[in-house]
Amino acid sequence: MSRRKKTEPYVRLTQPLVRDAGILRPATWDEALDRAAEGFRRNVAKNGPDAFGMFSCARATNEMNYMAQKFTRAVIGTNNVDSCNRTCHAPSVAGLAKVFGSGGGTSSYQEIEDADLIVLWGSNAREAHPIFFQHVLKAVNKGAKLYVVDPRLTSTGRWAHKWLRLNVGTDIPLAHAIAREIIASNLINRSFIERATEGFEEFVKAVEPWTLPVAELETGVPAELIRELAHAYAKADRGQLSWTLGITEHHNGTDNVLSLINLALLTGQVGRYGAGLNPLRGQNNVQGGGDMGAIPDRMPGFQDITDPDVTAKFNAAWGSNIQARKGWNLTQMLEAMERGDMTTVYIIGENPVQSEADCEHTIKRLSNLDHIVVQDIFLTKTAQMAHVVLPAAAAWCETDGTFTNSERRVQRVRKALNPPEGARDDIEIMSQIAERLGAPWQHMTGEKVWDELRSLSPLHTGMSYQRLEELGGIQWPCPSEDSLEPSFLHGRLWEEDPVKRGMPATFSPVLHSPPVDELTEEFPYRLTTGRRLDSYNTGVQSAGFESPLRKGETLDLSPQDAEKLNVKAGEEVQITSRRGQIQAPVRIDDGLTPGLVFMTFHFPDEIDVNIITIEATCPIAGTAEYKAAAIRIDKLPVKVA
Ligand SMILES: Nc1nc2c(c(=O)[nH]1)N[C@H]1C(S)=C(S)[C@@H](COP(=O)(O)OP(=O)(O)OC[C@H]3O[C@@H](n4cnc5c(=O)[nH]c(N)nc54)[C@H](O)[C@@H]3O)O[C@H]1N2
Ligand SMILES: Nc1nc2c(c(=O)[nH]1)N[C@H]1C(S)=C(S)[C@@H](COP(=O)(O)OP(=O)(O)OC[C@H]3O[C@@H](n4cnc5c(=O)[nH]c(N)nc54)[C@H](O)[C@@H]3O)O[C@H]1N2
Ligand SMILES: [Mo]
């Protein structure tokens, strides 16, 4: 095995730090807060409010995310606020919002249990969404059929009735072939299409070339299996289609999402109990972060920021001067740093130095900044680049508030532990900076913040803390205290009355576009990256901590490729892409097919996969193609002792 040094566990931050003469040194809270505020003031005075960017925290509460976007918009005066939603499900939000008007998953977990067909597309739910996967297994136990679409045979795929092994980045050809087969076999839901959709004719033309044999050639999925899934999905009473990053983390992530939505529109598998379209969200509160407006194009409750009536409402409530225009998303903020248009950032609970694709480029961009404030529970690699570091309380156990899960259910989180001495609540820290910037923010508790949000977001108005406690959680939309559980979204599409039915859902005749990083003789292997059950994201909260499961980073490859390269399990190899080079020990995985290799990004302090990933991004959503890099693998010369 590798003789690589193990990652050291991170130690909780308990004292603020400020940078002097290039070095981070301990400081008092007052000194650190003064410095943080002064740097923001200086940059905004010199370069205007759009020189400021906020990276908000998808692990923290709704209340904290509400305050982070309010800080950005009302105190600084820009809409440049975003979070790690950009690196995962921004394409899902963009695709769903384009077709249906709002970006949430449609179904409740109970409906998953009651479904008779479940498709997990580009999702390793057994490892990345184990709680959701329990509901899937309950359905399977009751007789539901589970189909898994993934280039790897994952532990999720091992539970499936059928696994569709496709080539990385061929999801649109597969979805189009399924659609074409449904149309050709006359299994479409004609009355639903006529009543609730538009663009069908153009869509039929777009999928026409994707016959089963053509699709088999492009995707690698046997024609018979494509046909089987097409028929099973179209004939299911309650067909659930869930997807995650295998779909979204591509340079055309939004088009991928749209190609899946097309299938539900063809068959009427949406807007009914048990049928639905569900992006399983990533971080514990990434759904809530977006719902709270910690995204550059929406105010709290998904209200359109470009609508002057919306901004007028918020300006009246906050005494602010928000402009009715979109801010920059996280990807655009990084680009603005490179151009010199953005000169200061406030990063709350994000670790972009290790999570962004082509991270050395990210480091270069952050190095351009005049003033970086990082507020985290640990001294991350990103915090080590900061000018001011502020120690936060951990939202999930040390604060009061709410989280929103993938089924849009808002639930209470309670303070169970005191934060370590010296750390402060995220909202409290932000308020203290806001005060220093002249905003009269009083100290707000979770509930006070929530009540303010409820007064401004119709989706949440009926969700008082008291009701949330009584009911154990409520799904949005919940416009009043007597709202009943809505359970699933878009039921309106089935209404007879055209007024009640509202806007039709539009088919998307999207085009196939293969991964940007081309396979060549020099870079012949397709690297896809993702997760394991035992670890969490950039590893700050997991990599250094003891666990019998956690084995460290590996380059996983098929037995055939191991033989071809003449490498053994545990042997260190060199991995090179067009961006950079790393080394990692080999692990042999018979769930992989020749040509495809896999790594996580869970141990970047030892082996940083994002040195070699590509930052080709989806032009609509800004999400990078983490799922498809082209690499070379070289055996290392044997070291002579
Ligand atoms: N244990 C654990 N759970 C987590 C996390 C964690 O770090 N650890 N992180 C959380 C976060 S932030 C997120 S966003 C979610 C992500 O949850 P998932 O999206 O389920 O996780 P990934 O492993 O990134 O990717 C899912 C699958 O996509 C497949 N895939 C790769 N390329 C393609 C392709 O071209 N097409 C298709 N169809 N599939 C492809 C991969 O083989 C992989 O099995 O997990 C959340 N849950
Ligand atoms: N190669 C590759 N890279 C990827 C992905 C991939 O599939 N492959 N997936 C991408 C995805 S989906 C995601 S979401 C990103 C994740 O990227 P990031 O969000 O940048 O990374 P995390 O490791 O989740 O960072 C979480 C940070 O939040 C801090 N934190 C936790 N709780 C709190 C709190 O309550 N308050 C504060 N202030 N801080 C807190 C933690 O200490 C940690 O530093 O990574 C992306 N990067
Ligand atoms: Mo994520």
Side-chain angles (χ1 to χ4, degrees), residues 320-450:
S320 55
N321 183 26
I322 303 160
Q323 305 297 307
R325 63 178 168 89
K326 294 178 188 180
W328 286 323
N329 65 36
L330 209 129
T331 307
Q332 293 165 328
M333 288 193 235
L334 289 165
E335 288 162 3
M337 291 173 199
E338 185 151 6
R339 293 194 307 270
D341 293 340
M342 179 165 282
T343 54
T344 183
V345 276
Y346 187 176
I347 300 177
I348 307 181
E350 287 270 310
N351 188 19
V353 161
Q354 295 183 319
S355 60
E356 287 293 316
D358 193 358
C359 58
E360 302 215 308
H361 193 189
T362 305
I363 293 170
K364 229 171 75 197
R365 288 163 157 183
L366 287 169
S367 315
N368 270 353
L369 298 178
D370 174 71
H371 183 61
I372 302 175
V373 177
V374 171
Q375 179 170 315
D376 204 294
I377 59 178
F378 293 116
L379 188 66
T380 60
K381 290 290 175 293
T382 305
Q384 289 169 33
M385 289 188 69
H387 301 89
V388 180
V389 179
L390 303 167
W396 68 275
C397 59
E398 296 167 355
T399 68
D400 271 305
T402 57
F403 285 161
T404 308
N405 70 7
S406 287
E407 57 165 0
R408 295 170 280 106
R409 188 177 303 282
V410 178
Q411 291 169 299
R412 282 278 283 115
V413 196
R414 293 170 195 81
K415 177 171 173 171
L417 296 170
N418 285 321
E421 196 160 327
R424 293 186 182 174
D425 186 281
D426 279 312
I427 297 180
E428 188 187 336
I429 305 172
M430 255 187 290
S431 304
Q432 288 162 343
I433 299 178
E435 277 168 18
R436 283 168 169 76
L437 292 171
W441 280 22
Q442 338 112 357
H443 292 297
M444 300 256 273
T445 63
E447 186 165 14
K448 263 200 197 152
V449 176
W450 187 247

Side-chain angles (χ1 to χ4, degrees), residues 84-85 87-89 245 249 281-283 286 531 536-537 601:
C84 67
N85 76 83
T87 59
C88 47
H89 272 296
L245 305 187
E249 282 183 343
R281 302 303 301 260
Q283 312 257 0
V286 66
R531 292 161 172 75
Y536 187 67
N537 286 359
F601 63 120

